[in-house]
Amino acid sequence: MNIADLYRERRPVLSFEVFPPKPDTPLESLYATIENLRELNPSFISVTYGAGGAQKGRTVEIASRIRHDFGLESMAHLTCVGHSRSEIRRILEDLQARRIDNILALRGDPPQGQPDFDFSGGDFTRASELIHFIRQSHSFCIGAACYPEGHRACPRIAQDWRNLKTKVDAGVDFLITQLFFDNRIFYHFLESARGLGIACPIIPGIMPIFNARQIKRIVSLCGASMPADLLIMMDEYEDRPEDLRRAGIDYAVRQIRDLLDNGVEGIHLEPMNKPDLAREILAGVGWPIRPARPPGPAPEAAGRSPSD
Ligand SMILES: Cc1cc2nc3c(=O)[nH]c(=O)nc-3n(C[C@H](O)[C@H](O)[C@H](O)COP(=O)(O)OP(=O)(O)OC[C@H]3O[C@@H](n4cnc5c(N)ncnc54)[C@H](O)[C@@H]3O)c2cc1C
Protein backbone atom coordinates (compact mmCIF):
# COMPACT_ATOMS: atom_id res chain seq x y z
CA MET A 1 0.00 0.00 0.00
CA ASN A 2 1.16 3.51 -0.71
CA ILE A 3 2.14 5.31 2.44
CA ALA A 4 0.73 8.53 0.98
CA ASP A 5 -2.71 6.85 1.12
CA LEU A 6 -2.16 6.07 4.82
CA TYR A 7 -1.59 9.75 5.52
CA ARG A 8 -4.82 10.53 3.68
CA GLU A 9 -6.87 7.87 5.46
CA ARG A 10 -5.79 7.43 9.07
CA ARG A 11 -4.18 10.38 10.70
CA PRO A 12 -2.17 10.53 12.85
CA VAL A 13 -0.05 7.75 11.34
CA LEU A 14 2.50 6.06 13.59
CA SER A 15 5.66 4.75 11.94
CA PHE A 16 9.05 3.51 13.12
CA GLU A 17 12.52 3.57 11.65
CA VAL A 18 14.94 0.67 12.06
CA PHE A 19 18.49 0.28 10.82
CA PRO A 20 20.23 -2.90 9.60
CA PRO A 21 22.61 -4.45 12.13
CA LYS A 22 26.37 -4.56 11.50
CA PRO A 23 27.36 -7.07 8.80
CA ASP A 24 28.69 -9.59 11.34
CA THR A 25 25.42 -9.56 13.32
CA PRO A 26 22.72 -11.97 12.16
CA LEU A 27 19.53 -10.37 10.91
CA GLU A 28 17.51 -12.47 13.37
CA SER A 29 18.33 -9.96 16.13
CA LEU A 30 16.67 -7.23 14.10
CA TYR A 31 13.67 -9.45 13.32
CA ALA A 32 13.10 -9.91 17.06
CA THR A 33 13.14 -6.11 17.34
CA ILE A 34 10.66 -5.76 14.49
CA GLU A 35 8.38 -8.36 16.08
CA ASN A 36 8.34 -6.26 19.24
CA LEU A 37 7.72 -3.07 17.29
CA ARG A 38 4.90 -4.76 15.40
CA GLU A 39 3.06 -5.23 18.70
CA LEU A 40 2.91 -1.44 18.96
CA ASN A 41 0.65 -1.23 15.88
CA PRO A 42 2.69 1.01 13.59
CA SER A 43 1.24 1.73 10.17
CA PHE A 44 4.63 1.15 8.59
CA ILE A 45 8.30 0.60 9.37
CA SER A 46 11.11 2.18 7.37
CA VAL A 47 14.59 0.70 6.98
CA THR A 48 17.63 2.95 6.64
CA TYR A 49 20.21 2.54 3.90
CA GLY A 50 23.68 2.21 5.46
CA ALA A 51 25.71 5.35 5.01
CA GLY A 52 28.98 3.41 5.21
CA GLY A 53 28.15 1.13 2.30
CA ALA A 54 28.52 -2.26 3.95
CA GLN A 55 24.89 -2.60 5.05
CA LYS A 56 23.21 -1.35 1.90
CA GLY A 57 22.30 -4.75 0.55
CA ARG A 58 20.37 -5.65 3.69
CA THR A 59 17.84 -2.81 3.44
CA VAL A 60 15.84 -4.35 0.61
CA GLU A 61 15.86 -7.78 2.24
CA ILE A 62 14.68 -6.38 5.60
CA ALA A 63 12.00 -4.18 4.02
CA SER A 64 10.77 -7.25 2.14
CA ARG A 65 10.59 -9.34 5.34
CA ILE A 66 8.67 -6.57 7.12
CA ARG A 67 6.14 -6.54 4.32
CA HIS A 68 5.75 -10.25 3.68
CA ASP A 69 6.58 -12.03 6.97
CA PHE A 70 5.38 -9.44 9.44
CA GLY A 71 2.41 -8.24 7.41
CA LEU A 72 3.34 -4.59 7.87
CA GLU A 73 3.77 -1.88 5.29
CA SER A 74 7.45 -1.08 4.77
CA MET A 75 9.56 1.66 3.25
CA ALA A 76 13.12 1.23 1.99
CA HIS A 77 15.46 4.22 2.32
CA LEU A 78 17.63 4.61 -0.76
CA THR A 79 20.60 6.94 -1.18
CA CYS A 80 21.99 7.74 -4.61
CA VAL A 81 25.47 9.02 -3.71
CA GLY A 82 28.10 6.68 -5.14
CA HIS A 83 25.55 4.73 -7.21
CA SER A 84 25.46 4.69 -11.00
CA ARG A 85 22.17 4.87 -12.89
CA SER A 86 22.35 1.18 -13.74
CA GLU A 87 22.91 0.26 -10.08
CA ILE A 88 19.91 2.32 -9.01
CA ARG A 89 17.86 0.74 -11.82
CA ARG A 90 18.76 -2.72 -10.51
CA ILE A 91 17.80 -1.79 -6.94
CA LEU A 92 14.47 -0.38 -8.13
CA GLU A 93 13.79 -3.57 -10.06
CA ASP A 94 14.59 -5.63 -6.97
CA LEU A 95 12.25 -3.49 -4.85
CA GLN A 96 9.51 -3.83 -7.44
CA ALA A 97 9.99 -7.59 -7.72
CA ARG A 98 9.61 -7.86 -3.94
CA ARG A 99 6.48 -5.71 -4.07
CA ILE A 100 7.83 -2.93 -1.88
CA ASP A 101 5.78 0.13 -2.77
CA ASN A 102 7.51 2.88 -0.80
CA ILE A 103 10.94 4.48 -1.05
CA LEU A 104 12.51 7.29 0.98
CA ALA A 105 14.64 8.81 -1.77
CA LEU A 106 17.81 10.48 -0.48
CA ARG A 107 21.08 11.86 -1.69
CA GLY A 108 23.13 10.50 1.22
CA ASP A 109 26.07 11.99 3.06
CA PRO A 110 29.67 12.30 1.82
CA PRO A 111 31.68 9.10 2.34
CA GLN A 112 33.24 8.90 5.82
CA GLY A 113 36.34 11.03 6.21
CA GLN A 114 35.67 13.00 3.00
CA PRO A 115 33.85 16.18 4.09
CA ASP A 116 34.80 17.95 0.84
CA PHE A 117 33.49 15.13 -1.35
CA ASP A 118 32.39 16.36 -4.78
CA PHE A 119 28.89 15.03 -5.42
CA SER A 120 28.93 16.25 -9.03
CA GLY A 121 31.36 13.46 -9.98
CA GLY A 122 28.65 10.77 -9.88
CA ASP A 123 25.48 10.02 -11.85
CA PHE A 124 23.33 11.67 -9.17
CA THR A 125 24.15 14.95 -7.45
CA ARG A 126 20.95 15.48 -5.48
CA ALA A 127 17.93 13.64 -4.16
CA SER A 128 15.71 15.50 -6.65
CA GLU A 129 17.60 13.81 -9.52
CA LEU A 130 17.01 10.40 -7.95
CA ILE A 131 13.31 11.23 -7.52
CA HIS A 132 13.04 12.35 -11.14
CA PHE A 133 14.79 9.13 -12.23
CA ILE A 134 12.42 6.93 -10.18
CA ARG A 135 9.36 8.81 -11.45
CA GLN A 136 10.37 8.30 -15.10
CA SER A 137 10.05 4.54 -15.01
CA HIS A 138 8.33 3.38 -11.80
CA SER A 139 5.19 3.98 -9.78
CA PHE A 140 6.65 3.86 -6.27
CA CYS A 141 5.25 6.10 -3.56
CA ILE A 142 8.17 8.44 -2.83
CA GLY A 143 9.07 10.08 0.45
CA ALA A 144 11.99 12.47 0.96
CA ALA A 145 13.91 14.14 3.77
CA CYS A 146 13.47 17.70 5.00
CA TYR A 147 15.27 19.82 7.56
CA PRO A 148 13.37 22.13 9.95
CA GLU A 149 16.68 23.87 10.78
CA GLY A 150 17.92 23.75 7.19
CA HIS A 151 20.29 21.13 5.80
CA ARG A 152 23.67 21.65 7.41
CA ALA A 153 25.53 21.96 4.08
CA CYS A 154 23.28 24.74 2.78
CA PRO A 155 24.59 28.20 3.74
CA ARG A 156 21.08 29.70 4.00
CA ILE A 157 18.09 28.05 5.65
CA ALA A 158 15.65 29.83 3.33
CA GLN A 159 17.64 28.57 0.32
CA ASP A 160 17.50 25.00 1.61
CA TRP A 161 13.72 25.26 1.85
CA ARG A 162 13.50 26.64 -1.69
CA ASN A 163 15.63 23.66 -2.78
CA LEU A 164 13.15 21.49 -0.91
CA LYS A 165 10.31 22.91 -2.99
CA THR A 166 12.22 21.94 -6.17
CA LYS A 167 12.69 18.44 -4.74
CA VAL A 168 9.01 18.07 -3.87
CA ASP A 169 8.05 19.26 -7.36
CA ALA A 170 10.20 16.47 -8.82
CA GLY A 171 7.59 14.03 -7.49
CA VAL A 172 7.60 13.68 -3.69
CA ASP A 173 4.48 12.28 -2.00
CA PHE A 174 5.42 13.06 1.61
CA LEU A 175 8.30 14.39 3.69
CA ILE A 176 9.91 13.18 6.91
CA THR A 177 11.92 15.65 8.95
CA GLN A 178 15.33 15.30 10.43
CA LEU A 179 15.19 14.95 14.21
CA PHE A 180 14.58 18.13 16.19
CA PHE A 181 14.06 18.80 19.89
CA ASP A 182 12.20 22.10 19.90
CA ASN A 183 8.71 21.92 18.41
CA ARG A 184 8.69 25.67 17.73
CA ILE A 185 11.37 25.04 15.11
CA PHE A 186 9.10 22.47 13.45
CA TYR A 187 6.03 24.74 13.48
CA HIS A 188 8.01 27.59 11.95
CA PHE A 189 9.35 25.27 9.25
CA LEU A 190 5.87 23.89 8.57
CA GLU A 191 4.42 27.36 8.09
CA SER A 192 7.30 28.35 5.81
CA ALA A 193 6.98 25.17 3.75
CA ARG A 194 3.23 25.71 3.30
CA GLY A 195 3.99 29.32 2.35
CA LEU A 196 6.32 28.05 -0.38
CA GLY A 197 3.52 25.89 -1.76
CA ILE A 198 4.72 22.55 -0.36
CA ALA A 199 1.39 20.83 0.18
CA CYS A 200 2.33 17.18 0.84
CA PRO A 201 2.26 15.65 4.35
CA ILE A 202 5.26 16.72 6.47
CA ILE A 203 5.92 14.20 9.20
CA PRO A 204 8.06 14.99 12.25
CA GLY A 205 10.91 12.54 12.84
CA ILE A 206 11.42 12.06 16.58
CA MET A 207 14.49 10.52 18.15
CA PRO A 208 14.35 10.00 21.91
CA ILE A 209 17.40 10.75 24.03
CA PHE A 210 18.53 7.59 25.77
CA ASN A 211 22.34 7.78 25.83
CA ALA A 212 24.20 11.08 26.12
CA ARG A 213 27.28 10.02 24.13
CA GLN A 214 25.25 8.55 21.28
CA ILE A 215 22.87 11.49 20.97
CA LYS A 216 25.76 13.98 20.98
CA ARG A 217 27.40 12.02 18.17
CA ILE A 218 24.19 11.95 16.11
CA VAL A 219 23.53 15.65 16.66
CA SER A 220 27.11 16.54 15.72
CA LEU A 221 26.70 14.62 12.46
CA CYS A 222 23.31 16.00 11.40
CA GLY A 223 23.63 19.53 12.81
CA ALA A 224 20.37 19.59 14.81
CA SER A 225 20.39 22.03 17.71
CA MET A 226 19.73 21.15 21.34
CA PRO A 227 17.63 23.50 23.49
CA ALA A 228 19.13 24.70 26.77
CA ASP A 229 16.79 22.64 28.97
CA LEU A 230 17.91 19.48 27.17
CA LEU A 231 21.60 20.32 27.61
CA ILE A 232 20.99 20.97 31.31
CA MET A 233 19.14 17.65 31.57
CA MET A 234 22.02 15.77 29.91
CA ASP A 235 24.54 17.39 32.27
CA GLU A 236 22.41 16.65 35.29
CA TYR A 237 22.09 12.95 34.49
CA GLU A 238 25.54 12.48 32.95
CA ASP A 239 26.57 9.81 35.47
CA ARG A 240 23.10 8.28 35.91
CA PRO A 241 22.25 6.59 32.60
CA GLU A 242 18.98 5.10 33.84
CA ASP A 243 17.75 8.52 35.03
CA LEU A 244 18.80 10.05 31.71
CA ARG A 245 16.86 7.38 29.83
CA ARG A 246 13.78 8.13 31.98
CA ALA A 247 14.14 11.88 31.42
CA GLY A 248 14.67 11.30 27.68
CA ILE A 249 11.45 9.31 27.49
CA ASP A 250 9.55 12.05 29.37
CA TYR A 251 10.95 14.65 26.98
CA ALA A 252 9.89 12.64 23.92
CA VAL A 253 6.41 12.08 25.41
CA ARG A 254 5.94 15.81 25.95
CA GLN A 255 7.25 16.58 22.47
CA ILE A 256 4.93 14.08 20.78
CA ARG A 257 1.88 15.11 22.83
CA ASP A 258 2.39 18.70 21.79
CA LEU A 259 2.81 17.72 18.12
CA LEU A 260 -0.39 15.67 18.24
CA ASP A 261 -2.25 18.52 19.96
CA ASN A 262 -1.15 20.69 17.06
CA GLY A 263 -2.58 18.32 14.46
CA VAL A 264 0.48 16.68 12.88
CA GLU A 265 -0.32 14.09 10.21
CA GLY A 266 1.92 11.45 11.75
CA ILE A 267 4.85 10.64 14.02
CA HIS A 268 7.94 8.88 12.65
CA LEU A 269 9.68 7.52 15.71
CA GLU A 270 13.34 6.51 15.56
CA PRO A 271 13.82 4.34 18.65
CA MET A 272 17.33 3.17 17.61
CA ASN A 273 16.24 -0.48 17.33
CA LYS A 274 15.06 -0.39 20.96
CA PRO A 275 11.41 -1.46 21.08
CA ASP A 276 11.18 -0.95 24.86
CA LEU A 277 11.97 2.71 24.35
CA ALA A 278 9.19 3.01 21.76
CA ARG A 279 6.75 1.12 24.00
CA GLU A 280 7.40 3.36 27.02
CA ILE A 281 7.07 6.52 24.94
CA LEU A 282 3.81 5.44 23.35
CA ALA A 283 2.42 4.36 26.73
CA GLY A 284 3.31 7.82 28.06
CA VAL A 285 1.61 9.48 25.10
CA GLY A 286 -1.47 7.28 25.56
CA TRP A 287 -1.22 5.71 22.10
CA PRO A 288 -3.24 2.46 22.02
CA ILE A 289 -0.74 -0.44 22.23
CA ARG A 290 -0.94 -4.14 23.01
CA PRO A 291 0.30 -5.41 26.38
CA ALA A 292 4.03 -6.22 26.53
CA ARG A 293 5.05 -9.78 25.71
CA PRO A 294 5.96 -11.82 28.83
CA PRO A 295 9.72 -12.01 29.49
CA GLY A 296 11.57 -14.72 27.54
CA PRO A 297 13.10 -15.26 24.13
CA ALA A 298 11.45 -13.46 21.26
CA PRO A 299 9.26 -15.68 19.11
CA GLU A 300 10.90 -16.83 15.89
CA ALA A 301 10.00 -14.23 13.31
CA ALA A 302 10.50 -16.44 10.28
CA GLY A 303 7.39 -18.24 9.12
CA ARG A 304 5.00 -16.30 11.35
CA SER A 305 1.73 -15.54 9.78
CA PRO A 306 0.85 -11.87 10.04
CA SER A 307 -2.04 -11.48 12.43
CA ASP A 308 -3.08 -8.00 11.45
C1 LIG B 1 14.21 11.28 7.56
C2 LIG B 1 15.65 11.08 7.11
C3 LIG B 1 16.10 9.79 6.79
C4 LIG B 1 17.42 9.59 6.38
N1 LIG B 1 17.83 8.31 6.08
C5 LIG B 1 19.11 8.10 5.66
C6 LIG B 1 19.56 6.79 5.30
O1 LIG B 1 18.81 5.81 5.40
N2 LIG B 1 20.84 6.64 4.84
C7 LIG B 1 21.70 7.70 4.73
O2 LIG B 1 22.84 7.52 4.31
N3 LIG B 1 21.30 8.96 5.06
C8 LIG B 1 20.04 9.18 5.51
N4 LIG B 1 19.62 10.47 5.82
C9 LIG B 1 20.60 11.57 5.77
C10 LIG B 1 20.68 12.22 4.37
O3 LIG B 1 21.19 11.30 3.42
C11 LIG B 1 21.60 13.43 4.50
O4 LIG B 1 21.03 14.42 5.30
C12 LIG B 1 22.14 14.03 3.19
O5 LIG B 1 23.21 14.90 3.50
C13 LIG B 1 21.11 14.83 2.40
O6 LIG B 1 20.20 14.02 1.80
P1 LIG B 1 18.89 14.64 1.06
O7 LIG B 1 18.20 13.54 0.42
O8 LIG B 1 18.15 15.49 2.01
O9 LIG B 1 19.64 15.56 -0.02
P2 LIG B 1 19.14 16.72 -0.99
O10 LIG B 1 17.69 16.96 -0.90
O11 LIG B 1 19.75 16.42 -2.31
O12 LIG B 1 19.86 18.00 -0.34
C14 LIG B 1 21.27 17.96 -0.11
C15 LIG B 1 21.84 19.37 -0.15
O13 LIG B 1 21.77 19.86 -1.49
C16 LIG B 1 21.12 21.12 -1.51
N5 LIG B 1 20.36 21.25 -2.77
C17 LIG B 1 19.29 20.50 -3.13
N6 LIG B 1 18.84 20.92 -4.34
C18 LIG B 1 19.65 21.91 -4.74
C19 LIG B 1 19.70 22.74 -5.88
N7 LIG B 1 18.81 22.62 -6.88
N8 LIG B 1 20.68 23.68 -5.96
C20 LIG B 1 21.59 23.82 -4.96
N9 LIG B 1 21.58 23.07 -3.85
C21 LIG B 1 20.63 22.12 -3.75
C22 LIG B 1 20.21 21.10 -0.29
O14 LIG B 1 19.86 22.43 0.14
C23 LIG B 1 21.07 20.37 0.72
O15 LIG B 1 21.98 21.23 1.31
C24 LIG B 1 18.32 10.69 6.27
C25 LIG B 1 17.86 11.99 6.59
C26 LIG B 1 16.54 12.19 7.02
C27 LIG B 1 16.08 13.56 7.38
Side-chain angles (χ1 to χ4, degrees), residues 229-248:
D229 54 342
L230 210 50
L231 291 171
I232 292 167
M233 182 184 102
M234 298 217 317
D235 276 352
E236 191 178 342
Y237 298 126
E238 200 173 1
D239 303 320
R240 288 145 55 202
E242 190 42 46
D243 288 343
L244 177 66
R245 182 180 180 280
R246 189 69 260 151

Side-chain angles (χ1 to χ4, degrees), residues 17-18 46-52 56 59 76-81 104-110 119 125-129 131 144-147 150-156 159-164 166-167 175-179 203 205 222 268 270:
E17 182 173 299
V18 297
S46 80
V47 188
T48 66
Y49 197 67
K56 288 184 172 178
T59 299
H77 296 209
L78 175 61
T79 62
C80 54
V81 58
L104 192 73
L106 302 147
R107 183 196 68 179
D109 283 318
F119 286 94
T125 310
R126 303 188 174 105
S128 55
E129 293 167 10
I131 291 157
C146 61
Y147 303 84
H151 183 259
R152 66 175 311 175
C154 194
R156 300 229 183 272
Q159 182 59 50
D160 184 54
W161 295 347
R162 284 194 292 275
N163 294 340
L164 177 64
T166 309
K167 176 160 80 171
L175 292 165
I176 299 183
T177 74
Q178 177 170 276
L179 64 98
I203 310 305
C222 74
H268 189 65
E270 301 159 33

Side-chain angles (χ1 to χ4, degrees), residues 31-42:
Y31 293 140
T33 295
I34 292 169
E35 172 59 27
N36 280 306
L37 289 174
R38 192 174 74 96
E39 291 171 359
L40 304 177
N41 296 328

